[in-house]
Amino acid sequence: MVSYGGFRMKGNQWNQNYDFQIIAFFNLGLRQSKFKCIKKCYWNPPQNGYTLFCCDGVSVDNVGAAGFGVVVRDHLCQVVGALAGGIGITTNYIAEIYDVVCAAELAEE
């Protein structure tokens, strides 16, 4: 599915007829998509007896609506817990820091 999506995103929008009909109807004009390239990435589970916290924080624009997410996995790749939430209006930096703090609090529990 990722490769298929990357293949379709060349040029303007999705380059499908219905996209052009909607763009023409609303008189929006064309814009180039910012698709780069798809790269494979691999994930290794933590060692036996360890727990992995995957966390990320994000803000729409650099001061905008922000949120965070944490996924906790054990050495068998099983999801042990997850946490997500909205922070309100803040910067990317604050969202990232808040995410790490929430992961540390979750680890403490």
Side-chain angles (χ1 to χ4, degrees), residues 8 19 55 76 84 94 98 105:
R8 288 186 63 204
D19 287 328
C55 53
L76 299 173
I94 297 298
Y98 191 83
E105 289 177 353

Side-chain angles (χ1 to χ4, degrees), residues 11-92:
N12 297 314
Q13 281 74 23
W14 293 93
N15 270 349
Q16 297 297 314
N17 190 35
Y18 55 83
D19 287 328
F20 294 121
Q21 290 173 354
I22 292 170
I23 291 167
F25 179 80
F26 289 106
N27 200 18
L28 297 173
L30 298 177
R31 68 173 177 81
Q32 292 289 349
S33 62
K34 295 181 179 179
F35 176 75
K36 302 239 180 196
C37 67
I38 296 173
K39 296 182 180 180
K40 290 182 181 179
C41 60
Y42 299 95
W43 181 83
N44 293 320
Q47 296 176 2
N48 192 8
Y50 285 86
T51 305
L52 178 67
F53 288 79
C54 300
C55 53
D56 193 20
V58 67
S59 172
V60 178
D61 295 328
N62 198 15
V63 176
F68 69 96
V70 179
V71 177
V72 185
R73 294 182 182 266
D74 65 6
H75 67 280
L76 299 173
C77 298
Q78 299 295 314
V79 175
V80 178
L83 176 66
I87 303 171
I89 306 297
T90 189
T91 64
N92 289 328

